[in-house]
Amino acid sequence: MFLANPSALKRGGVLGMNKRNIDYIGRYNPRKYYKRVDDKLTTKQLALANNIAVPDLIGTVSEQHGINDIPAMVNDTVGFVIKPSKGSGGKGILVVTKVENGRYYKPNGQEVTPSEVYRHVSNVLSGLFSLGGNPDVAIVEGLIQFDPVFDGYSYEGVPDIRLIVFKGFPIMGMIRLSTAASDGKANLHQGAVGVGVDIATGKGLHAVQFDKPIDLHPDTQKKLTDIQVPHWDMLLHTASKAYEMSELGYLGTDMVLDKYKGPLLLELNARPGLAIQIANGCGILANLRHVEQMPNHNMSVEERVAYAKIHFSANR
Amino acid sequence: MHSRKPFYILVALLFIAGITASVYRGIEHSVPFFPGKQVQSWAIDAKVSFQGTGEPSEVSFSLPEDPAYEVLVENATSPGYGLTITNNKYDRRAIWSIRSATGQQDLYYKVTLIPTGQEQLLAKGEPEAPTPYMWPATESAAATQATEEVWAKSATNLSFAQQLNKELNANERSQNIELLLTGNSPNKLFMRMLHNKGIPAQEVSGLFLEDQRRRQQLTTFVEVYNDGEWHLFDPVKGTQGRPENLLLWDRSGTSVLDVIGGVNSQVNFSMLQDTRSALATAIDVMKNDNALDFSLYQLPLEEQSLFKGILLIPIGVLMVVFLRVLIGIKTSGTFMPVLIALAFIQTTLITGLVGFLLIVAFGLMIRSYLSELNLLLISRISAVIIVVIGIIGLFTLISYKFGLSEGLTITFFPMIILAWTIERMSILWEEEGAKEVVIQGGGSLFVATLAYLAMSATWVQHWVFNFLGIHLVILALVLLMGQYTGYRLLELKRFKPLAGE
């Protein structure tokens, strides 16, 4: 049959968009804390204040004429990333992996001309990528030297690790790998591969591309379920800590692994998508309900991570 | 989590109020539930004529008052006469008066009536007990005997009247009845025998409505009171009940026409049947009853047609909420499809779709040049708006030159919306490729088309304007859908891999 039986999805504990919006985001994410996650600059400052590692901040541009300062800012860097502070869904991110004699190159080797950079930042400042089209600030970040442990699993891009944190408990995780189809981006709707990982161990469980289960990476043909995320405990702790920092009950955390600095918090999301369920091959509702029904939420980060490892592992 | 009960009560109240208001509109004000419904109306001319004697004249003429018909328009023509319309307890009368009338006098009363479907004659109150008739000595014994015979065979006032009517029209009438009929007309005899038993009964005049009839006269009937209702009898023919197409002209029990200061008075009726729009009729009736006080119908026509458009928006919005929340279709810009659908209503669907695609395609081409110029966003969009206006002007001119009048309606598209659409599509194209542009643009056009189909249905347009209660129902539905936590239809496809083996 073409469509799934809704009662089968319900039995499988699959969270739908409407239920997510009303019963989780609406109930556990107070509106007043949204700017902590919707504004990446604020997130960055909060993270630094809470001793959470983030990618280097090279500078910010908030006025049109400030765009002219960018060449000076990035002159000594290996590469840099320009992103809108209030962007969503990976929109408006410009990645430059090579700076050579004042010339910039994208990950695929294509040159980015200064006028292209100028136009991109100008668009960012005008609010083209921000929610509601409000004027925005462009953030210039240092390039992440990504950990080679994922070599062969990712194509032309930085793999990132998404964890869903509910009331401070990491309850489901996946790693997102870019592909040729996703043009080096790690967004699943653009064709990136999502691999569900076990909360207890960080080991791959199940993989998906374009909402369909797959076994091998489409570009490198490596078996995706063999993947093992390093620094797993550190990742769980960072994600769990993001709860105290943001005060959002239903939270998506995006992290990357830097070769030198280890796990870095990239951004937080108050409206994390539902594809993580497909990547894990199971619904998220059981874990959400488990946390909701716990009599005592008053635990430290360590206790929460330990609890999650026992109760939310796929192999429990 | 706080209780959802007040919310559901609110939704239920909105729903009930909306349905009740609509049904009330339909039944109480006879606003038709379906568009294009026609009703029959009757235009009746009563011509009162008499010979003036040179003295002051006063003509009192009974006017129709029948629950089965409602007066839509009435007027009287009578040059030189003073006219008053009185409304007393028993009937309405037109009173014409003049200081001096000589020779043939013709007075006209015209009325347009529409059937109400209310065939019963409900009494306004308990009628007074009739005074018993004193029979002349020669008839007294026969009358008493005949009355008692029929009385014995009856149970109620009504069955007494029925039996009596039967007796008066039997093939072989009893000797008593035969005797009484020689001195009394059937109507009079019928009434007198009823009155002697204390049953209220009176003579009424009715007019048989026949299309294109002229010189029609009134026919008399007797109505008998029983249990709060009057029943019609025709003792001459021996029938009971209201014949089809009968209009009761006078129910006062007194005369139809009284002329003081004139001789040879008579009244003739001519009539014409007509069909007219049920909706227009209902509005006219409301106007007569002063029921328009708080209604859209009293607005000037221009504002009314404006509101006809505005009141369609809730339907489009409902459609968008349904397609997004229950089906899960993505559109670019939440309510842009509604605005496009509104434009489609002006342009018609095919012209609208072609026009939209042409403008967006041309706009995208021009936008790709503008993107080379590295303009600020605001001025770039402003440039696109101006270019869109140019494109619209160009297409309108071209289609005019080729004699395609459909092309002229392209001007109905909201230009700012088009400019933003072009801008967003262009960015989408640069970031995610042409495929995503087709998917999102197609989704928007699909939703716009569905919204258009819903909004352009004649019965929908009829309902949203004439039954304002429907908007409360739409509000209730939108609120309910805002509470829907179930799966969207497209999620059933998306999450198919999770549904288990």
Side-chain angles (χ1 to χ4, degrees), chain B residues 4 43 60 87 198 210 218-219 227 253 264 274 286 289 295 328 336-337 396 398 410 428 473 499:
Chain B
R4 285 261 164 241
S60 167
N87 207 347
E210 265 180 81
L218 293 173
T219 315
D227 269 352
N264 286 338
D274 198 10
M286 275 190 260
D289 300 348
S295 137
M336 190 186 84
T396 311
I398 290 173
I410 219 166
L428 204 59
V473 177

Side-chain angles (χ1 to χ4, degrees), chain B residues 182-193:
Chain B
T182 54
N184 302 280
S185 72
N187 280 358
K188 286 277 183 287
L189 180 60
F190 184 66
M191 268 175 23
R192 283 166 182 170
M193 288 173 79

Side-chain angles (χ1 to χ4, degrees), chain B residues 258-320:
Chain B
D258 286 321
V259 177
I260 302 166
V263 292
N264 286 338
S265 61
Q266 56 168 322
V267 56
N268 278 307
F269 297 90
S270 51
M271 62 210 73
L272 211 57
Q273 194 183 22
D274 198 10
T275 51
R276 52 193 326 242
S277 143
L279 179 60
T281 308
I283 295 170
D284 284 344
V285 171
M286 275 190 260
K287 220 174 255 167
N288 283 352
D289 300 348
N290 288 325
L292 281 184
D293 284 349
F294 203 74
S295 137
L296 292 177
Y297 302 121
Q298 62 176 352
L299 292 174
L301 277 181
E302 199 182 333
E303 275 71 25
Q304 281 197 34
S305 64
L306 185 72
F307 259 100
K308 278 181 183 163
I310 291 175
L311 290 175
L312 281 175
I313 294 179
I315 295 287
V317 170
L318 178 70
M319 206 69 196
V320 169

Side-chain angles (χ1 to χ4, degrees), chain A residues 1 14 17-18 119 128 190, chain B residues 325 374 432 487 491 496:
Chain A
M1 219 182 76
V14 178
M17 196 62 93
N18 292 328
R119 178 155 58 90
L128 190 59
Q190 290 167 328
Chain B
V325 173
N374 273 350
E432 318 221 345
Y487 298 108
E491 281 179 342
K496 181 103 211 293

Side-chain angles (χ1 to χ4, degrees), chain A residues 108-289:
Chain A
N108 58 11
Q110 225 180 345
E111 189 182 344
V112 188
T113 64
S115 79
E116 276 177 288
V117 173
Y118 192 97
R119 178 155 58 90
H120 185 84
V121 179
S122 170
N123 279 341
V124 168
L125 298 186
S126 305
L128 190 59
F129 309 106
S130 73
L131 297 161
N134 296 319
D136 204 351
V137 173
I139 303 177
V140 186
E141 270 181 359
L143 196 66
I144 294 151
Q145 301 294 312
F146 66 92
D147 199 310
V149 289
F150 293 126
D151 273 357
Y153 283 111
S154 196
Y155 182 84
E156 280 187 352
V158 187
D160 80 0
I161 298 122
R162 156 69 58 96
L163 282 162
I164 300 288
V165 181
F166 185 52
K167 290 182 151 185
F169 293 89
I171 57 169
M172 196 172 255
M174 74 168 162
I175 176 159
R176 297 187 293 192
L177 307 166
S178 50
T179 62
S182 77
D183 193 23
K185 295 191 176 109
N187 289 313
L188 294 194
H189 73 270
Q190 290 167 328
V193 169
V195 184
V197 289
D198 186 15
I199 282 288
T201 59
K203 194 174 172 325
L205 294 168
H206 189 267
V208 71
Q209 186 189 27
F210 285 121
D211 292 342
K212 292 203 178 56
I214 53 169
D215 280 335
L216 306 176
H217 190 283
D219 305 311
T220 62
Q221 305 303 326
K222 277 193 87 164
K223 192 164 163 55
L224 290 162
T225 42
D226 286 347
I227 208 164
Q228 167 67 52
V229 184
H231 309 291
W232 186 242
D233 270 13
M234 178 77 177
L235 286 164
L236 288 178
H237 276 87
T238 309
S240 183
K241 246 198 259 180
Y243 169 60
E244 269 88 9
M245 167 186 136
S246 67
E247 293 182 66
L248 294 171
Y250 184 75
L251 187 69
T253 62
D254 291 343
M255 286 170 287
V256 287
L257 290 180
D258 189 276
K259 193 167 21 169
Y260 307 108
K261 298 178 197 152
L264 302 180
L265 181 66
L266 212 51
E267 62 177 84
L268 297 176
N269 203 320
R271 313 166 193 80
L274 301 173
I276 193 168
Q277 300 178 102
I278 309 176
N280 275 271
C282 81
I284 197 171
L285 267 178
N287 292 354
L288 288 170
R289 294 230 170 92

